[in-house]
Amino acid sequence: AGGKQDMGSDSLSHSHPGPHERAHSRTVMLGRRRRKDWSCSLIVASLVGAFGSSFLYGYNLSVVNAPTPYIKAFYNESWERRHGHPVDSDTLTLLWSVTVSIFAIGGLVGTFLVKVIGKFLGRRNTLLVNNGFGISAALLMACSLPAGALEMLIVGRFIMGVDGGIALSALPMYVSEISPKEMRGALGQVTAIFICGGVFAGQLLGLPELLGKESTWPYLFAVIVIPALVQLVSLPFLPKSPRYLLFEKHDQEGAEKAFQTFLGKEDVSCEVEEVLAESRVQRNIRLVSVLELLRSPFVRWQLITVVISMACYQLCGLNIWFYTNSIFGKAGIAPEKIPYITLSTGGIETLAAIVSGLVIERVGRRPLLIGGFGLMALFFGILTITLTLQDHAPWIPYLSIVCILAIIAAFCSGPGGIPFILTSEFFQQAQRPAAFTVVGTVNWLCNFAVGLLFPFIQKSLDTYCFLVFAAICFAGALYLHFVLPETKNRTHAEISQAFANRNKAYPPEGKTDSAVTDDKTNIRPE
């Protein structure tokens, strides 16, 4: 029997068609199934999951910007009430830095908790339990001002980071595992869309006319309760991940019912067969540890690729938010109007993410990701020139604004969401939690490093600091151009095969003791 024949739903004949014939037959089959192999339950699960998870992550990235002076005043009042004198400037700066950066520390802790919680509860129930972190964090931060306790705000930010760390790992896994492969990318981009929507909502609610006032800033944090409650009351009515039920709970009947709910049809035998083909020879699957994943030669380049993609995701220079107010001011925009102009950046961000979600299954992951990083490198270079020559002509500041909007749009068109999709697609069921632990660790460590080091880079290089980001974006695009295969509409076995030559390691047949050594590319047809 052929050692590397795909046993997915597209390989039903006894012959061994070539890759072009398989691709053509798959395209025809997908064309027939594309319109009917999903249901409202699938869309609701994606939207509700993202609203209570990635939306909150994006919201907490931007929500602290508007009330910054009021929070610092609150810190000063609390300090003076306890110690009898105002807080010195260095201590106040330290307290504020801790308030902002502790969100990333909490995210790192949440990333490590995902595998432990997910092993016992599954993807859906992990998201449900995670709402407890979100609600408790919201109550702590909202009550900090009435209680006069600055520690409540700092601890609340940490707990909110734990919520974000769990959400950004559990949500992509859940959405990927409930989606048919022809919709996997589009639904995966829902994560990025809701992150951008959360950033925009934080900017909008932070306006002085809404909640961005001295008397109402605690309500900015109380708003967090709403998405968490929506997810908490909605997700229990939706099935668990069918892959989780099949592989980790050995519940084939439950998996079939879940597929029927999400795909909106009775006959799900092809989908079940495709999932079983990933682990035909295994009977007692066990989750792979992080150390086992790092040592496995069969996924070495997959792991390197998602780590580099996620590192570039955080290090590519989205700290440009710190420059928007000064750039808008130099362009001649009145200071009182700058917060409203800043909303345009959030709007562009959300619009670009939506467009990316609509075209990703047609264009593919590879062009959007490489093109996004490439365009960011180009516009960062132009932005460096315009900022350096800012005072030489009255129209140059407006060109800087265009560059900022273009950078944001390029980021959200691909790099803003696709690294999470690739992590779901590159790794099989038993490897996925460990892979998200590794990638999540890289994500939050880079987030923390940028928040810690960016002020020093900015102070040393001034406007030339954007050349550092341009170099990172260019290097990321170059690496992905040579290494990243296209993954749209491809099974895990086909994606593994695309990396096999580079890994110089083919998974051996017949090994049932370790999920690391069974990459599902050597499955014998029955």
Side-chain angles (χ1 to χ4, degrees):
K4 296 186 178 67
Q5 184 179 351
D6 177 24
M7 284 297 296
S9 60
D10 307 312
S11 301
L12 300 176
S13 66
H14 294 285
S15 60
H16 296 260
H20 296 293
E21 293 173 329
R22 282 202 307 269
H24 175 71
S25 63
R26 183 178 303 107
T27 302
V28 173
M29 183 174 293
L30 290 178
R32 293 172 181 168
R33 300 192 323 175
R34 189 181 302 275
R35 294 191 177 185
K36 63 179 182 178
D37 280 14
W38 58 273
S39 67
C40 290
S41 297
L42 178 62
I43 304 301
V44 169
S46 302
L47 296 179
V48 169
F51 184 54
S53 300
S54 55
F55 177 87
L56 288 184
Y57 168 75
Y59 184 81
N60 280 280
L61 289 178
S62 64
V63 72
V64 294
N65 292 335
T68 296
Y70 307 128
I71 295 176
K72 287 184 176 180
F74 162 59
Y75 282 4
N76 188 55
E77 292 171 6
S78 299
W79 189 276
E80 188 171 5
R81 190 184 309 114
R82 296 180 189 181
H83 303 282
H85 59 84
V87 63
D88 63 88
S89 60
D90 290 339
T91 304
L92 182 60
T93 301
L94 176 62
L95 286 173
W96 181 245
S97 299
V98 170
T99 303
V100 174
S101 60
I102 203 167
F103 180 69
I105 301 299
L108 187 61
V109 173
T111 297
F112 287 115
L113 290 177
V114 167
K115 187 180 178 187
V116 178
I117 299 175
K119 179 179 180 181
F120 296 101
L121 300 181
R123 289 38 162 156
R124 188 202 65 177
N125 289 350
T126 298
L127 292 174
L128 287 172
V129 169
N130 195 35
N131 291 306
F133 290 107
I135 294 171
S136 60
L139 294 176
L140 279 171
M141 292 187 288
C143 295
S144 59
L145 180 62
L150 60 88
E151 296 87 355
M152 291 175 65
L153 184 59
I154 295 174
V155 173
R157 284 282 293 174
F158 172 79
I159 296 175
M160 202 63 238
V162 175
D163 177 278
I166 293 174
L168 290 188
S169 295
L171 177 65
M173 281 193 285
Y174 181 62
V175 173
S176 173
E177 291 174 8
I178 67 175
S179 304
K181 62 178 179 291
E182 63 269 18
M183 294 182 65
R184 197 170 52 205
L187 292 181
Q189 274 296 84
V190 170
T191 298
I193 293 170
F194 273 80
I195 289 176
C196 298
V199 170
F200 181 73
Q203 294 171 337
L204 181 64
L205 293 178
L207 293 176
E209 290 80 1
L210 297 177
L211 300 178
K213 298 190 289 286
E214 185 174 7
S215 59
T216 58
W217 66 262
Y219 297 113
L220 281 169
F221 299 103
V223 167
I224 293 169
V225 170
I226 298 174
L229 287 177
V230 168
Q231 187 182 84
L232 190 61
V233 301
S234 302
L235 276 186
F237 297 98
L238 296 165
K240 297 179 181 179
S241 162
R243 289 173 176 265
Y244 168 78
L245 291 171
L246 190 61
F247 284 132
E248 297 179 36
K249 293 300 180 182
H250 311 293
D251 182 5
Q252 184 163 339
E253 182 180 355
E256 290 175 355
K257 290 180 179 178
F259 268 129
Q260 289 168 351
T261 300
F262 287 128
L263 302 183
K265 61 180 184 179
E266 289 297 322
D267 184 10
V268 293
S269 56
C270 290
E271 285 73 20
V272 172
E273 175 65 20
E274 184 175 297
V275 174
L276 288 173
E278 294 183 12
S279 188
R280 178 83 64 188
V281 297
Q282 292 190 56
R283 290 296 176 265
N284 296 306
I285 192 169
R286 68 177 180 84
L287 293 181
V288 171
S289 70
V290 170
L291 189 59
E292 287 175 320
L293 188 71
L294 293 174
R295 289 176 173 175
S296 173
F298 313 115
V299 293
R300 180 178 296 121
W301 280 96
Q302 290 95 311
L303 195 61
I304 292 172
T305 301
V306 294
V307 164
I308 289 177
S309 299
M310 190 59 73
C312 290
Y313 165 81
Q314 283 292 353
L315 302 176
C316 67
L318 259 290
N319 314 84
I320 198 169
W321 295 108
F322 293 107
Y323 265 87
T324 53
N325 286 0
S326 63
I327 293 173
F328 290 156
K330 290 181 180 178
I333 297 172
E336 64 272 12
K337 294 182 179 179
I338 287 178
Y340 305 94
I341 302 299
T342 302
L343 280 177
S344 66
T345 60
I348 290 289
E349 191 176 18
T350 306
L351 181 62
I354 292 173
V355 171
S356 175
L358 294 174
V359 304
I360 188 171
E361 293 300 349
R362 186 177 300 273
V363 176
R365 287 72 155 145
R366 178 182 160 87
L368 289 176
L369 191 57
I370 297 173
F373 280 130
L375 288 174
M376 288 182 73
L378 172 64
F379 285 111
F380 269 131
I382 298 174
L383 180 62
T384 302
I385 296 172
T386 59
L387 290 177
T388 305
L389 304 176
Q390 188 95 301
D391 301 322
H392 286 66
W395 53 269
I396 293 180
Y398 293 95
L399 186 56
S400 298
I401 294 174
V402 172
C403 286
I404 288 176
L405 297 178
I407 289 167
I408 292 171
F411 173 79
C412 294
S413 66
I418 292 179
F420 298 99
I421 298 174
L422 294 181
T423 308
S424 295
E425 293 181 329
F426 280 0
F427 300 95
Q428 60 175 286
Q429 185 76 13
Q431 300 164 339
R432 206 167 284 135
F436 269 99
T437 299
V438 173
V439 171
T441 302
V442 172
N443 178 28
W444 290 102
L445 285 178
C446 290
N447 182 303
F448 180 75
V450 168
L452 190 66
L453 299 177
F454 180 76
F456 299 100
I457 297 174
Q458 178 185 352
K459 185 176 180 179
S460 301
L461 300 178
D462 196 30
T463 57
Y464 293 102
C465 69
F466 292 115
L467 291 179
V468 176
F469 300 134
I472 291 172
C473 292
F474 179 76
L478 196 64
Y479 171 85
L480 293 170
H481 172 74
F482 288 106
V483 176
L484 180 67
E486 182 53 68
T487 61
K488 70 171 183 176
N489 294 335
R490 302 180 76 176
T491 64
H492 175 267
E494 293 168 329
I495 296 171
S496 296
Q497 183 62 34
F499 279 102
N501 291 335
R502 192 175 296 277
N503 286 325
K504 293 183 172 60
Y506 290 85
E509 289 188 279
K511 293 214 174 184
T512 61
D513 59 333
S514 173
V516 178
T517 58
D518 187 13
D519 206 67
K520 315 305 174 285
T521 56
N522 290 332
I523 296 175
R524 297 182 183 276
E526 292 179 346

